[in-house]
Amino acid sequence: MSDLPATEIRTTAPEIGTTEWVMDRCDDLTRHSSRPDALERVYLSPEHSAGNTAVQAWMRDAGLDTETDAAGNIWGRRAADGTPQRPATRGEPALVLGSHLDTVPDAGRYDGMLGVVLAIAVAHRLRDTPLPFALEVVGFSAEEGTRFGKALLGSCATSGQWDPAWWETADADGVTLREAFVRFGLVPERVGDAARDPADLVGYLEAHIEQGPVLEARDLPLGYVTTIAGARRFVLTVTGEARHAGGTPFSRRKDALVAAAHLVTRIEELAKATDSLATVGDIRVQPGAVNVIPGRAELTLDLRGRTDAGRDELWEQIAAAGRDIAQERGVTFEFAETHRAPSTACADRMKAAVATGVAEATGTSPDDVLGLWSPAGHDGMAMDAVTDVGMLFLRCRDGISHHPDEHVEPEDVGAALDAYTAAVLELARVHVPAPLVALRQAQDPPVETPGEKAR
Ligand code: HGY
Ligand code: MN
Ligand code: MN
């Protein structure tokens, strides 16, 4: 009698493209972690390479030709007629499906990974279906940006937004992005080769867990994204004086950690009074000894809002609070912005296609499919610079994410597979080839806007 648990004992591997296959692949990817006791896979790490290799094999199983691009993203592609085709082939615009393969520390197994594996499964389901466009699947790297502080690095490379100033950013061990690039086998001077021409893209459609409580609260398995919150990230530095914990009376202290603690609680107070979100995720203290008054505290700040203006207004209030606390406590307050991405509105045709797909998969009407704001950031924020963006959201248990308790129900994954496939077919149905769009625009009489005479 096997000692396996009494649940279903499966002796055969699930068929590619099925819900079981998708769930198993997400389990598989947890093996590629820098830690034995938790899931962590950061940009340009050995685990990043191993994860890409595993995903590349699954892409090939799904009938895609594959390639790693100049920024370390893994791509798969089939031509409009369904035959495998080299990724980034010019002259045949492609719809891109996918998500990211990197994780936060002590991550869940679905944030990002589920979207990549679902995209591969959809490509498999459509491998014998001719489409009016090519289909590509991407596993982006460095969406989280935890190693070097800058998020969306892989999708910024794809969308031609790589900033050379990033090369000198360094990780916690002092390894610069440039050094890590070279160690990974990439050529910093060639990163521009990863940029895609907007003319070669039909759109970017990502499936992702909601990372919030809304779908579960509404007892809905799926929804579409209306807008992705714009984010800004900072490193805030409070500098006081490191002194003897015994010999320094309070009247003479310039304690950087106590000042930072006041700032952290003030940040929460200010944010709670708005509809934006502020999070201090990490604080590092120097010199960090039990009997030394902290001379320096470095905090990370993550800001995101329903509107960029609201988010930016909150930042101004936080910066003012930092200056006030510094003055009161005789310390200095400095800040450096490490990441900024604008809030991103998903394109109407992408939202409509996802709503149609969800309706088909759940037996409802497109008008009844829920559209949600995403406070979580996604690669679509970068891809919006070069193509239309859409997102399919899946319910996740208790809204938990960025935590090993991240969980999705297989039934919801099955519904997502059907909805994602139907959304691609809907985009195919409404697709107008670019040259025809240009022709139609040339033929349509110029629209007279009030007060403007047609020339
Ligand atoms: O931080 C975020 O919102 C995303 O998970 N990278
Ligand atoms: Mn995440
Ligand atoms: Mn994510």
Side-chain angles (χ1 to χ4, degrees):
M1 178 60 179
S2 158
D3 58 0
L4 285 176
T7 51
E8 174 209 351
I9 299 170
R10 209 168 34 217
T11 53
T12 54
E15 189 193 340
I16 181 172
T18 60
T19 300
E20 293 75 17
W21 181 85
V22 168
M23 303 298 279
D24 280 7
R25 299 293 71 71
C26 291
D27 293 345
D28 273 358
L29 282 171
T30 61
R31 291 188 289 119
H32 305 301
S33 172
S34 58
R35 295 160 54 174
D37 60 340
L39 175 54
E40 182 167 8
R41 185 166 55 244
V42 298
Y43 192 31
L44 303 173
S45 64
E47 301 72 45
H48 169 187
S49 176
N52 275 13
T53 302
V55 164
Q56 184 171 39
W58 303 336
M59 287 177 169
R60 288 181 179 156
D61 292 343
L64 304 176
D65 190 359
T66 61
E67 190 166 78
T68 301
D69 73 10
N73 302 310
I74 182 69
W75 291 85
R77 181 182 170 115
R78 46 128 310 164
D81 66 8
T83 52
Q85 190 177 48
R86 189 171 158 276
T89 294
R90 305 297 313 264
E92 186 175 82
L95 174 66
V96 178
L97 312 180
S99 187
H100 60 94
L101 292 169
D102 65 309
T103 78
V104 295
D106 201 9
R109 66 187 63 195
Y110 301 112
D111 172 4
M113 285 71 82
L114 178 62
V116 177
V117 176
L118 278 171
I120 296 171
V122 168
H124 167 74
R125 287 186 167 198
L126 296 174
R127 64 195 299 167
D128 300 325
T129 305
L131 296 168
F133 40 67
L135 198 61
E136 293 202 34
V137 174
V138 62
F140 281 124
S141 36
E143 185 274 345
E144 302 289 1
T146 51
R147 180 174 181 186
F148 296 101
K150 170 74 185 90
L152 310 177
L153 286 173
S155 44
C156 277
T158 298
S159 53
Q161 301 179 88
W162 190 274
D163 181 342
W166 300 338
W167 288 125
E168 299 322 310
T169 53
D171 66 11
D173 300 323
V175 177
T176 65
L177 176 54
R178 179 187 297 280
E179 289 161 348
F181 229 71
V182 173
R183 291 182 194 175
F184 193 77
L186 297 170
V187 180
E189 292 69 29
R190 301 293 303 270
V191 71
D193 295 353
R196 302 293 290 272
D197 183 333
D200 285 336
L201 298 171
V202 166
Y204 173 67
L205 185 56
E206 176 171 353
H208 202 290
I209 52 172
E210 179 200 336
Q211 298 177 301
V214 175
L215 285 172
E216 186 178 62
R218 303 281 290 267
D219 192 22
L220 295 169
L222 306 170
Y224 67 86
V225 171
T226 55
T227 306
I228 306 169
R232 293 178 71 179
R233 291 182 186 173
F234 298 83
V235 172
L236 312 179
T237 304
V238 177
T239 307
E241 289 175 352
R243 288 287 186 276
H244 194 293
T248 315
F250 281 111
S251 59
R252 300 187 60 172
R253 292 188 179 203
K254 295 184 176 181
D255 187 326
L257 181 52
V258 173
H262 279 277
L263 180 56
V264 170
T265 50
R266 186 75 186 114
I267 286 169
E268 186 189 54
E269 279 164 24
L270 290 169
K272 278 185 168 178
T274 72
D275 65 357
S276 295
L277 298 160
T279 308
V280 174
D282 190 12
I283 184 164
R284 298 183 184 206
V285 176
Q286 288 175 358
V290 64
N291 57 352
V292 181
I293 299 165
R296 179 185 163 94
E298 212 173 69
L299 310 84
T300 62
L301 176 65
D302 175 302
L303 281 187
R304 41 192 96 193
R306 281 190 178 278
T307 65
D308 291 353
R311 175 204 64 194
D312 296 345
E313 169 54 32
L314 174 58
W315 163 244
E316 293 308 322
Q317 294 172 17
I318 289 171
R323 289 189 290 271
D324 293 348
I325 290 169
Q327 188 148 26
E328 285 158 25
R329 309 191 68 88
V331 298
T332 62
F333 168 74
E334 298 161 284
F335 63 83
E337 184 164 20
T338 56
H339 168 67
R340 181 190 292 223
S343 63
T344 300
C346 292
D348 288 345
R349 71 183 173 99
M350 304 297 270
K351 290 187 293 187
V354 175
T356 300
V358 171
E360 224 176 275
T362 56
T364 54
S365 138
D367 293 341
D368 298 333
V369 177
L370 184 66
L372 303 92
W373 171 57
S374 172
H378 300 283
D379 284 303
M381 301 161 88
M383 288 300 284
D384 187 49
V386 286
T387 194
D388 282 351
V389 163
M391 289 193 74
L392 166 65
F393 259 3
L394 285 84
R395 168 171 52 190
C396 57
R397 183 165 60 193
D398 204 14
I400 294 172
S401 184
H402 285 187
H403 188 278
D405 288 351
E406 222 169 66
H407 179 83
V408 284
E409 291 303 331
E411 299 72 39
D412 291 352
V413 171
L417 260 175
D418 295 341
Y420 205 2
T421 307
V424 173
L425 292 173
E426 175 63 9
L427 285 170
R429 188 183 68 80
V430 301
H431 180 67
V432 180
L436 286 183
V437 170
L439 186 64
R440 183 178 295 171
Q441 281 167 343
Q443 284 167 341
D444 289 350
V447 175
E448 214 173 292
T449 45
E452 180 190 299
K453 282 279 165 254
R455 275 182 280 287

